Amino acid sequence: MNATTRRAFLKSTTLAAAATALRGSVLQGQSLPGQVDASIEVMPGEAIGTISPEIYSHFIEHLGGVIYDGVWVGPNSRIPNQNGIRTAFLDAMRAVQAPLLRWPGGCFADSYDWRDGLGGASSRPARTAFWGQQETNQYGLHEFMHTCRAIGCKPYLAANLRTLPARDFYQEVEYCNAPAGPVPSHSAAPAVPNALATQRAANGDPAPFNVDLWGVGNESWGCGGNLSPEEYAAMYRRFTAWVPTYGSPLRLVAVGPNGDDASWTRRLFEALHDGPDDHRMWGLSVHYYTSGSPTKFAAGDALQYGAGEYYDLLTRGALMEKVVTDHWQAMGSVATHPNSGKNAVKLVVDEWGAWYGKGTELGEGYNLSQQSTMRDALLTGITLDIFQRHADKVAVANVAQAINCIHSLMLAQEEKFTVTPTFHVFKMYLPHRGAQAVRAEFTAGSIENPLAATAAGDSYSGSADAVRSLAGLSGSASLAPGSNGKRLTLTVVNPHLDRAMTTAIALRGAIITGATGTVLASADVHDHNDFAHPDAVHPVQAKVSQPVAGRLVHSFPAASVTTLQLQLA
Ligand code: AHR
């Protein structure tokens, strides 16, 4: 990025606004060491909700180099593997304690026959699949379940609603979840085994997979069938009516909007509301990709960007907050729980990430693979903080995708492998999972989006007005489970390219007695890891000064993501 652009841009950072806001903050009248640029006030007494560990979930699709090469190298490969699954992939997924893995798509799911991936490797058919690739079906349902088992995570299956009938969905659930062994049918008849459970056992897995989370189609407004909300609602009823549960309820996820299209959500809920199947929806899927252009499919370059593109991308990414609240409102306007009056359905943001244009693919055949820089690490922090601030609304979120596709945590090509800066942010946010999200107020000047004026009305992410500015500092706070309110995690993103933010941190009704931290930052925001330099970008211990009078002053470096662990009294 050139220095002139950067300087010109930085003039628009509203420093004065920050100082003015600080005068009215909780720190007013406190003697603070020197000048501060921002403040954070945390309210431990104002609980938002428990942060679902499943908001740090993942997604793999039969697309480009995601499954073949990324996840599946085959049992006879020279690449280190566990029964065909790349060992480095498993290790990284374990390192981020992946709670949930979504499969097989994406758009791929709606033309996939789950039966094609069963049985001996040589008997599986090869077919032309959604993304134009020849699908060999060497990686199927059992291989996916073994992947989840090896990681220690739960499976999340996307069912085919476009090209298979409802009977196949019903039977896929039966194949996965029916108990093995003889099952009583009628008191007068002998117990007999279930045919699909027997087939599963013959394929190597006698114990049921117990899949409880099911996506009923994918993007049915687009690749999943070009349906209207009303058409999809009718399909949803038919597919979900009387699906067998084997003693524990299924978590069924309905297809939600394209980006911020709240009218899809309202119409879908209206079409399903008061119907007999209302209660069958556990979650609504939301897909929100970030790009610097008016469509999600052409988004600038992953590696080459100036200050304008940098801030524009982050500003659009921060719109996730609007997407979450818009859809929460739309759902709540139609379907609330009869007793509590609260929303009866949770949000499942099962695809998100920065999606760039072509140019940084790993190679031919690695469709939609792209490099990932510090900019993407910041977007990851901003997004996870949004989910945490809305812990009462967002139950599941899956970054798209875990490896070799869009906003990946890992890149792999044959024996070469690296984690991306995004992987590190997932690790840094681990202390938030299962914790109690509490309200925190960030007071910092906002940053004007230098490209806002050129942003035309954007049907994907909302209006151009929504992308005018970006918070100069953002983040989220949570109280650690079992700590009796004594341990607080604070994650903070400073998006300023050239400016550290000296920030006064205080708690309402509590004092800080100690602090430690981890920070991810780099000399240049374009920095990234590649196969030759897999450790170029990595987090380090943050220099944290000790609190004075129960408060902390901390400097968040330019273009950084920080996790602070605070001890409270
Ligand atoms: O993640 C890539 C694709 O993006 C998915 O297949 C689809 O659901 C979305 O449009």
Side-chain angles (χ1 to χ4, degrees), residues 60-62 66-68 71-75 83-85 101-105 108 112-125 135-149 155-158 172 175-176 200 203 205 209 211 214:
I60 51 172
E61 176 170 11
H62 292 247
V66 177
I67 299 294
Y68 301 108
V71 177
W72 182 253
V73 294
N83 302 318
I85 308 158
L101 188 55
R102 177 176 183 245
W103 176 84
F108 175 86
Y112 177 61
D113 186 341
W114 59 275
R115 288 186 165 89
D116 285 347
L118 305 181
S122 58
S123 65
R124 298 186 190 183
E135 173 57 53
T136 61
N137 283 304
Q138 296 305 292
Y139 189 86
L141 193 52
H142 289 258
E143 288 76 21
F144 172 65
M145 294 300 166
H146 301 164
T147 307
C148 292
R149 222 177 275 158
Y156 171 19
L157 290 180
E172 189 179 1
Y175 184 92
C176 288
R200 184 187 68 229
N203 286 330
D205 284 295
F209 296 138
V211 182
W214 292 85

Side-chain angles (χ1 to χ4, degrees), residues 13 33 124 129 133 145 201 233 241 244 293 325 336 355 374 435 474 484 524-525 529 538 560:
T13 303
R124 298 186 190 183
Q133 278 170 280
M145 294 300 166
S293 82
T325 52
T336 49
W355 186 330
M374 274 301 299
S474 66
N484 205 16
D524 187 315
V525 79
N529 297 335
H538 61 267
S560 67

Side-chain angles (χ1 to χ4, degrees), residues 498-548:
D498 279 11
R499 194 173 148 226
M501 293 291 276
T502 302
T503 304
I505 303 168
L507 275 86
R508 193 178 288 177
I511 60 165
I512 305 169
T513 56
T516 55
T518 310
V519 62
L520 184 68
S522 203
D524 187 315
V525 79
H526 300 90
D527 287 347
H528 57 277
N529 297 335
D530 58 25
F531 297 137
H533 311 93
D535 204 29
V537 175
H538 61 267
V540 296
Q541 207 180 340
K543 286 194 191 100
V544 186
S545 46
Q546 285 316 296
V548 175

Side-chain angles (χ1 to χ4, degrees), residues 24 32 83 95 159 171 177 192 212 233 273 288 316 325 333 404 456 495 558:
L32 293 165
N83 302 318
Q171 294 197 336
N177 294 352
V192 287
D212 72 329
H273 190 47
Y288 180 67
R316 286 171 183 275
T325 52
S333 69
N404 287 353

Side-chain angles (χ1 to χ4, degrees), residues 1 19 89 131 155 168 201 214 270 284 287 330 393 415 473:
M1 163 184 336
F89 170 78
W131 293 98
D168 286 81
W214 292 85
E270 276 162 7
L284 180 81
H287 291 182
K393 308 175 185 71
E415 46 276 283
L473 204 64

Side-chain angles (χ1 to χ4, degrees), residues 42-66:
V42 182
M43 276 57 84
E46 295 187 35
I48 298 169
T50 302
I51 299 174
S52 162
E54 293 184 344
I55 66 169
Y56 314 95
S57 292
H58 302 274
F59 169 34
I60 51 172
E61 176 170 11
H62 292 247
L63 193 185
V66 177

Side-chain angles (χ1 to χ4, degrees), residues 59 61 106-107 131 218-219 287 289 296 351 355 401 406:
F59 169 34
E61 176 170 11
C107 296
W131 293 98
N218 173 76
E219 299 194 349
H287 291 182
Y289 286 101
K296 68 171 176 166
E351 291 188 28
W355 186 330
Q401 301 190 9
I406 314 178

